[in-house]
Amino acid sequence: MAQSLDLFPIGNCMASALIDRAGRFVWSCAPRVDGDPFFCALLSDADPAAETAQGMWSIDVEDVRQIRQTYLRNTPILSTEIEDIHGGTVEIIDFCPRYYRSGRMYRPLAFVRLVRPVAGTPRVRVRLRPMANWGEKRVEVTRGSNHIRYVGGEVTFRLTTDAPVSHIECERLFRLEEPLTMFLGPDESFEGDVAVAASQMLKETTDYWRRWVRTLSVPLDWQDVVIRAAITLKLCTYEETGAIVAALTTSLPEHAESGRNWDYRYCWLRDAYYVVQALNRLGAVDILENYLVYLRNLVDSAKGGHVQPVYGVGLEPSLTEWIAPHLPGYRGMGPVRVGNQAHEHLQHDVYGQIILSTTQAFFDERLLRPATLDDFRALEPIAQRAYELHDQADASLWEFRGREAVHTYSSVMCWAAADRLAKAADRLGLVDRAVYWRERADAMRATIESRAWNEDLGRFAATFDGDELDASLLQLIDVRFVPPQDPRMAATVAAVEKGLRRGSYMLRYAIPDDFGEPQSAFNICTFWLIEAMHLAGRTEEARQLFEEMLNRRTVAGLLSEDISFEDGELWGNYPQTYSLVGLINCAMLLSRPWTAVR
C-alpha cells in the first residue's frame, strides 16, 4: 500500500506523533520535534504492513475487514476501531498526556495506547520497532518484569504495560480478551497501576483539551474545521521555549520526484506570525504569550543586528543542512534532509513579523504580561534594521536559493514594523517616538509605492522596478498597506489570479526557480486568494473555492503544504501551519454572523 498523507497527529506540545490509517505510529521524533525520528516509517519506501517494516509501532489485528478512525470530540486523542472478518472489534485509543498536575503542566515525552476488545476475541500482534540515527539501525531491546527498554537512540524509552511482556518482545499473535495499557515514555519506574493511571490520564487530558476549545471564539459556520485546525496548530508549538514549528515533518516532497524536500521542524518567524495572528482571531492568547517569550529571547540575542528567518526550537541559530543516508524518503522520493539552509538567508520581512507579532501585547489587557516600555525599547533596533533594509535585496519569503532581489513583500513587512511601532508608541504616550516611526513608515511607503508599482502594467510587481508576479502581493491587503477598495490593489489581485491560478489552486509564482518550474500549488496562496475575493465583494465565489479546499483535507481534517493542480493530491510537509492558518482565517471571514441564529 502506497504511503499517503492521511495521517492523524497526536501530541501534547512536547511529544508528537503521526498515526496512519491502520493505527500505526509512522513518525515521531525525540527528544524534541526536531530530533532523531525513532518512528521513521513515513520516510521509508517499504509498506509499513510488511514483515520487514521498521521504524513504526503497530497493533496488527488478524483478518482485518474494516478500520474506522476519529478524534474524540474537541481533542487530539485518536480512536481507531479495527474490525475483523469474524465480527471481532478492537478499539485503540492513542494520546499524549497533557493536564495540570502539582501546579504545573504535565506534558511528558510519552505516548499512551489503550487497547480494548469491543466485540468477540480478536487476535492481535504488537510490533514496536524504534530506530536510531535517522533509520540507520534498530535500537537495543532489554526487558524487565513488566517493562521493555529501548536503548540506543537519543532518548532511552521504557514501555510499561500490563500486557504479557513476552508477547510484545516476541511480536507474538495472541487473543485480546481484556483491555491492555501501554505507556511509552522516559526510562523511569512507573508508579502505581499502569491501567488505572492511564485511564486517569485519558480523562484529564480529554478535560484539558475540551476546556481549551471552550475558550475559542469560533465562527458560526465550519466550527469543526476551525477547532481541528486550532488544536493542531497548538500541537505544533514547543511549549518549553515558546517556539512554533512550521510542520511536524521533514522531507515530504512538494510534488513527485521534485527534490524539493525540506526540513520544516523549526521555528520560522514568518510562519509563527501567521499562526499567532490566526489564533488571536480565535482568542487563543496563551500561544501568543508563550511565543512572545521566545521572541524576546531572540531579540535579546540579536543585540540590534541581523535576525535570521528561522531558528531551532531551542533558539539555536545554526541549522546546518545535511542528508540522512539511511532513509530513502517518502515513497522512496529522497533526499531526506535534516536542518535547513534558510538559516543562512537574508529575509528582511522577519523584522516586520517580529513587531507584528508583538504589537497586540501593547494593547491587550487580557495578557498576564502586557508589553512594557522596556519591550518597546528592545524593539526599536528591530524597526531600525527594517528601515535600513527595506530597499535592499533578499531571498524573499519563498527562500530562493539561487537569486536575490528587492522583494515587495519584504519591503512592505519592513514598513509594517515602523507603522506598528508608531502605534505602540502612541499607546505608551511616547509622542516623539511615535512621530519618529511614523516619519520612517511614510518614507518607506513612498519608496515602495514608487518602485513596486509598475506603471506600464498598471499593477504592483513582486520586485522593485520589475514585472514579476507572486502570490505574496495579495498580502498587501492583510497587512493594511493598501485597502482592498484601492483600484491599484484590484488590478494587482486580478493580475495575480490570472497569472498564478491553476483551476481551483494558486501557485506561489510561475517562473522557474532553483529546481525548475513549480508543479504543485501552495495551499496558503489559495486561501489568500479566497480572502481577496471576499474583500472585493466576490463572496459567493470565495465560499465555493473555500469548500473546494475543505474537500481536499485529509481524513484527519488537515492539510499539507502543497497540492497537485493536476489531480488534487496533497504533497509537502504535514500538518502545515500555513495551511491550517488559511482554514481558520477564511472560515472567520466567510462565516455567517452568530446573529443569524439569534
Side-chain angles (χ1 to χ4, degrees):
M1 183 176 68
Q3 297 271 19
S4 85
L5 296 186
D6 268 332
L7 304 168
F8 291 81
I10 63 170
N12 61 9
C13 307
M14 173 67 77
S16 60
L18 297 179
I19 299 174
D20 73 6
R21 294 287 281 141
R24 293 180 288 250
F25 280 57
V26 295
W27 184 257
S28 189
C29 301
R32 310 187 314 193
V33 63
D34 57 355
D36 187 10
F38 58 100
F39 295 133
C40 55
L42 181 62
L43 296 184
S44 170
D45 56 355
D47 184 346
E51 286 296 323
T52 56
Q54 303 293 335
M56 53 80 189
W57 184 6
S58 68
I59 298 172
D60 305 323
V61 177
E62 188 178 43
D63 299 329
V64 174
R65 181 168 70 181
Q66 65 174 341
I67 300 174
R68 298 176 292 273
Q69 285 177 299
T70 185
Y71 283 115
L72 302 193
R73 178 177 174 271
N74 292 354
T75 77
I77 301 170
L78 180 63
S79 169
T80 302
E81 282 197 359
I82 306 176
E83 183 180 340
D84 66 25
I85 61 175
H86 313 291
T89 303
V90 176
E91 183 187 33
I92 306 166
I93 300 292
D94 289 310
F95 68 99
C96 298
R98 179 179 173 84
Y99 50 87
Y100 286 99
R101 187 176 78 174
S102 302
R104 60 184 178 180
M105 184 62 68
Y106 176 64
R107 40 168 168 73
L109 180 61
F111 308 89
V112 180
R113 308 201 79 173
L114 307 178
V115 186
R116 301 166 171 170
V118 175
T121 53
R123 285 159 54 86
V124 303
R125 176 177 63 156
V126 179
R127 294 186 296 161
L128 178 48
R129 299 176 176 178
M131 302 292 285
N133 194 24
W134 287 85
E136 180 182 14
K137 59 185 179 180
R138 288 276 299 271
V139 299
E140 180 184 351
V141 179
T142 64
R143 64 170 288 186
S145 57
N146 62 358
H147 71 265
I148 302 174
R149 297 173 71 242
Y150 298 89
V151 184
E154 289 191 37
V155 173
T156 295
F157 281 99
R158 178 185 295 225
L159 178 73
T160 302
T161 182
D162 54 11
V165 172
S166 68
H167 284 356
I168 298 175
E169 184 183 27
C170 300
E171 298 184 351
R172 185 179 296 135
L173 198 64
F174 64 96
R175 287 165 59 96
L176 185 67
E177 297 182 340
E178 58 186 7
L180 303 178
T181 301
M182 289 177 276
F183 181 93
L184 183 68
D187 187 24
E188 303 165 355
S189 296
F190 193 97
E191 298 295 331
D193 184 314
V194 66
V196 173
S199 178
Q200 185 64 23
M201 288 178 184
L202 175 61
K203 179 184 182 304
E204 295 196 36
T205 300
T206 303
D207 289 346
Y208 168 83
W209 285 104
R210 289 178 176 166
R211 289 192 182 106
W212 183 77
V213 167
R214 283 183 62 206
T215 69
L216 302 180
S217 300
V218 297
L220 175 59
D221 299 319
W222 304 296
Q223 291 183 42
D224 58 331
V225 173
V226 170
I227 289 169
R228 182 54 50 202
I231 288 173
T232 308
L233 286 177
K234 190 172 175 71
L235 296 186
C236 291
T237 66
Y238 186 72
E239 197 166 63
E240 186 168 278
T241 64
I244 303 171
V245 299
L248 298 178
T249 57
T250 177
S251 302
L252 299 182
E254 292 183 12
H255 58 83
E257 306 292 358
S258 67
R260 302 172 188 261
N261 301 14
W262 315 117
D263 192 349
Y264 278 7
R265 302 168 305 145
Y266 307 110
C267 185
W268 270 262
L269 305 189
R270 178 187 314 110
D271 302 52
Y273 155 67
Y274 281 109
V275 169
V276 297
Q277 179 198 52
L279 291 175
N280 287 346
R281 288 169 175 164
L282 300 178
V285 296
D286 58 324
I287 294 174
L288 168 66
E289 287 189 297
N290 212 26
Y291 176 59
L292 291 181
V293 174
Y294 184 86
L295 272 188
R296 288 194 291 269
N297 279 304
L298 285 183
V299 169
D300 284 352
S301 299
K303 301 184 185 303
H306 171 64
V307 175
Q308 298 173 191
V310 59
Y311 292 84
V313 298
L315 301 159
E316 297 86 0
S318 180
L319 304 173
T320 303
E321 188 175 295
W322 57 279
I323 292 175
H326 304 291
L327 289 172
Y330 179 73
R331 299 185 188 173
M333 299 177 189
V336 171
R337 289 188 171 93
V338 185
N340 200 297
Q341 189 199 44
H343 79 279
E344 301 174 357
H345 290 186
L346 299 177
Q347 296 176 29
H348 302 325
D349 59 303
V350 298
Y351 300 100
Q353 279 130 10
I354 289 172
I355 292 175
L356 284 166
S357 296
T358 308
T359 301
Q360 181 176 338
F362 289 100
F363 295 87
D364 195 334
E365 296 292 346
R366 297 172 299 168
L367 302 186
L368 296 173
R369 186 201 179 282
T372 65
L373 178 59
D374 286 342
D375 293 324
F376 177 86
R377 289 172 174 158
L379 289 174
E380 285 201 285
I382 297 295
Q384 187 62 36
R385 288 281 293 177
Y387 177 67
E388 293 167 357
L389 296 170
H390 78 279
D391 59 355
Q392 301 299 303
D394 73 354
S396 96
L397 79 162
W398 307 128
E399 300 182 341
F400 294 124
R401 296 191 170 203
R403 66 172 184 267
E404 288 189 340
V406 182
H407 291 95
T408 301
Y409 175 88
S410 297
S411 298
V412 168
M413 283 295 176
C414 288
W415 164 84
D419 178 77
R420 302 311 196 269
L421 204 58
K423 289 179 169 62
D426 281 333
R427 172 71 169 177
L428 294 171
L430 304 174
V431 176
D432 59 331
R433 302 317 293 164
V435 170
Y436 179 90
W437 289 114
R438 176 57 53 214
E439 288 176 349
R440 271 145 187 77
D442 290 345
M444 285 190 274
R445 172 181 284 279
T447 300
I448 296 166
E449 291 186 335
S450 169
R451 298 189 60 191
W453 177 255
N454 186 308
E455 187 66 38
D456 292 338
L457 297 175
R459 61 165 174 81
F460 286 107
T463 59
F464 277 18
D465 307 317
D467 58 4
E468 297 93 340
L469 282 173
D470 85 44
S472 67
L473 289 170
L474 299 174
Q475 286 294 282
L476 271 59
I477 299 173
D478 185 74
V479 80
R480 300 197 299 279
F481 184 79
V482 182
Q485 299 80 17
D486 190 312
R488 296 174 302 170
M489 199 62 219
T492 301
V493 171
V496 169
E497 183 175 7
K498 180 179 179 181
L500 301 182
R501 185 170 178 178
R502 301 292 185 271
S504 297
Y505 313 118
M506 284 285 291
L507 302 178
R508 289 170 285 188
Y509 46 83
I511 59 176
D513 59 19
D514 317 303
F515 292 82
E517 291 189 9
Q519 297 181 35
S520 59
F522 202 66
N523 288 325
I524 186 62
C525 297
T526 304
F527 290 119
W528 288 348
L529 176 63
I530 292 168
E531 294 175 28
M533 284 178 166
H534 168 70
L535 293 172
R538 298 164 59 190
T539 298
E540 189 53 42
E541 282 183 78
R543 289 176 70 97
Q544 290 173 5
L545 189 53
F546 185 52
E547 290 288 352
E548 170 68 18
M549 290 301 292
L550 295 183
N551 291 336
R552 295 302 179 184
R553 292 176 299 155
T554 64
V555 291
L558 306 173
L559 287 168
S560 63
E561 180 185 43
D562 305 279
I563 193 166
S564 168
F565 48 76
E566 299 293 338
D567 60 12
E569 182 177 5
L570 292 175
W571 291 89
N573 283 304
Y574 175 88
Q576 175 72 10
T577 53
Y578 265 155
S579 302
L580 303 182
V581 163
L583 288 171
I584 291 172
N585 288 345
C586 289
M588 297 291 284
L589 274 177
L590 299 174
S591 173
R592 293 170 297 159
W594 279 98
T595 53
V597 294
R598 290 175 186 158

